[in-house]
Amino acid sequence: MKDLLQNHRVIVCTGSGGVGKTTLSAALGVLAARMGKRVLVLTIDPARRLATTLGIDQGADEARVPGQSYAGVLHAGMIDQTKIFDDYIRRYAPQQATVDALFGNALYQQLSTTLSGSQEFTSLAKLVEASESGLYDLVILDTPPAAHAVDFLQAPQKLNAVFDSTIVSMFMGRTKGFELASAAWKMSVKLLLRTLNFVTGSEFVATFNGFFTAIDAIAPNIRETNLKAQQLLLDSSTAFVLVSSFDQAKIMEGEAFHDELSTAGYHLKKVIVNRAWPAWAEPGSAQVLETQNHLVQSGQNALAALHRSLCAYYAERANAHTRFTDVVKLAEFDSEVVGLQSLEKLADRLESV
Ligand SMILES: Nc1ncnc2c1ncn2[C@@H]1O[C@H](COP(=O)(O)OP(=O)(O)OP(=O)(O)O)[C@@H](O)[C@H]1O
Ligand SMILES: [Mg+2]
């Protein structure tokens, strides 16, 4: 695991819902900071107590994680969709008037958070910004739960389609866009505009036009950022880590993710099977040996035998059900992993594999 952190500039933690992506992004961040790296962990929707541990519960954009003493330094950031989208517009709008027009536009307020692809876009825009900033040696990106691995990575393309200047042109009634569009599409745009006008009055159409006029000025940047993000994700300096959990359904989802990522050309470097066994049954651990010795020495032979067979069962179970190669297995801890100490325990384990 250390080689992976040593040799990459971006790590993307992916996997299906609830498997431990956010927790492991943070634990990998701890390990990389211990190795001397300047690290940023970009989390999505962390549990409240984990956000507090990372110093980002007050809505901080990027914060130095409190209470650390590592060779490097660990920073954390939260992907706040609305804020990042707004920042992006502020940064790329050609003039203040465009910013004002957009922020005051009711449609923008609706669309910036609900448009298909906008959450993914904001994450990737933030990733590109952080990795270009020169402030970090390594950026670790957590991802939202998704049914398919490539959903997240390719969703921004949907946003491209919305902001595509051809479509913008059509809405704005420019002939260039109309020449390229099919007759059916032209008809539906006209009909849509007419219906909107009829249903909601001319105010809506004015809002609509205002939105697209302002967006027209930003659309090239959105496309460029998406392009940069895709290049970065496919670059050999970016590694994907697939997190899976032990139960059969999660393993199967993980296998589907694995195949999708590999087929799409992303560099999937490691699979982490989280919660592979309870912490007390960690194969080869000092704790297992100590418990065995204690039980035998105190004459509790039946318990010693039960303990031995349970440990053997967990070790065997974890090997039996997966066709992943290059797997790291992690224990299930007794309590939630929310404090810096428990992240460090996870980092210890990640360090040793
Ligand atoms: N190895 C572990 N042992 C014990 N608890 C764990 C372990 N890994 C994760 N957890 C706990 O499981 C819960 C879910 O973890 P986490 O939020 O990291 O998953 P996620 O994949 O990011 O979820 P989502 O897909 O909803 O974003 C958290 O409460 C976390 O503390
Ligand atoms: Mg999460």
Side-chain angles (χ1 to χ4, degrees), residues 40 42 56 59-63 76-80 83-84 87 126 129:
L40 173 67
L42 287 173
I56 47 176
D61 205 8
E62 277 166 38
M78 180 117 64
I79 306 273
D80 175 339
K83 187 171 179 311
I84 295 174
D87 284 351
K126 185 78 195 164
E129 187 204 309

Side-chain angles (χ1 to χ4, degrees), residues 94-132:
Q95 53 213 16
Q96 187 58 34
T98 310
V99 179
D100 296 340
L102 264 179
F103 289 1
N105 188 292
L107 201 58
Y108 172 79
Q109 288 159 12
Q110 283 273 319
L111 289 185
S112 62
T113 52
T114 55
L115 253 187
S116 167
S118 63
Q119 182 179 14
E120 294 81 356
F121 173 79
T122 46
S123 297
L124 295 180
K126 185 78 195 164
L127 174 68
V128 169
E129 187 204 309
S131 89
E132 283 181 347

Side-chain angles (χ1 to χ4, degrees), residues 53-56 60 62-70 72-76:
T53 301
L54 297 176
I56 47 176
E62 277 166 38
R64 188 179 195 279
V65 173
Q68 61 179 299
S69 51
Y70 303 134
V73 56
L74 177 62
H75 282 85

